[in-house]
Amino acid sequence: MSEPILQADKARPSWDEYFIQIVDLIKMRSTCLRRQVGALIVKDKRILATGYNGAPMGCRHCAQLGCLKDELNIPSGQGHEFCRAIHAEQNAIVQAAYSGTSVKDGTMYVTHQPCSLCAKMAINAGIKKIVFKGEYPDNLSMELLKEAGVRVVRYD
């Protein structure tokens, strides 16, 4: 049986579109009650690690306990220390480290603009480019990424 032939009128997605579609799937594993976020780290068009926002391994998540930030009326983008979850970008970097995979010179795809904590981790992990879709209320992250020379692309 032969391989099906790609129709000439059907365009293949660009690499950015392809990886952004994958982070939209990854975010579905999120256990956050406020915002589902997915992240993916790629190098040479190969997926190195994925992450979504949720509680650390072995810990109960917000879907089970409720959202402490909601209970305390803490706005989005503030009070990270009151949240049980680790951010998607952090999870992707940690998962790569856990398996001994270097993300140096990689590209991170994220469903939302990284916060300043995630931006700092990405900078120190050696991420060279970040492609994101949605907004996040944190101007410091964009300043840090620019200052560190990380290329940032908003995907529309």
Side-chain angles (χ1 to χ4, degrees):
M1 184 176 260
S2 64
E3 292 276 326
I5 298 173
L6 185 65
Q7 294 178 353
D9 62 342
K10 183 177 180 186
R12 294 173 67 198
S14 69
W15 285 109
D16 283 350
E17 183 180 7
Y18 174 70
F19 291 126
I20 284 291
Q21 288 178 3
I22 292 172
V23 294
D24 279 333
L25 180 62
I26 293 166
K27 78 178 184 182
M28 295 173 70
R29 291 285 307 157
S30 169
T31 58
C32 180
L33 300 174
R34 285 183 161 197
R35 181 189 319 256
Q36 291 186 312
V37 181
L40 173 70
I41 302 174
V42 173
K43 187 172 179 182
D44 299 325
K45 300 176 186 163
R46 299 209 171 23
I47 296 171
L48 302 179
T50 65
Y52 54 86
N53 54 332
M57 291 188 305
C59 296
R60 292 176 292 164
H61 49 78
C62 300
Q64 295 170 306
L65 297 173
C67 178
L68 181 58
K69 287 177 68 171
D70 277 349
E71 292 172 22
L72 298 173
N73 293 317
I74 297 172
S76 182
Q78 299 177 18
H80 298 292
E81 67 275 15
F82 295 104
C83 183
R84 294 183 66 81
I86 181 172
H87 287 187
E89 302 93 324
Q90 296 167 353
N91 244 338
I93 291 167
V94 169
Q95 291 304 317
Y98 189 84
S99 66
T101 303
S102 172
V103 296
K104 185 177 184 288
D105 299 325
T107 298
M108 181 180 282
Y109 291 85
V110 194
T111 55
H112 293 77
Q113 173 195 314
C115 72
S116 57
L117 296 173
C118 292
K120 290 184 270 188
M121 285 186 71
I123 291 164
N124 280 359
I127 298 294
K128 293 299 179 197
K129 178 181 173 185
I130 296 177
V131 180
F132 72 92
K133 283 182 12 176
E135 294 184 10
Y136 190 77
D138 190 334
N139 293 330
L140 178 58
S141 68
M142 299 306 276
E143 291 174 28
L144 290 168
L145 292 166
K146 182 179 179 181
E147 183 178 342
V150 176
R151 185 171 166 225
V152 178
V153 177
R154 179 170 181 141
Y155 184 88
D156 292 315

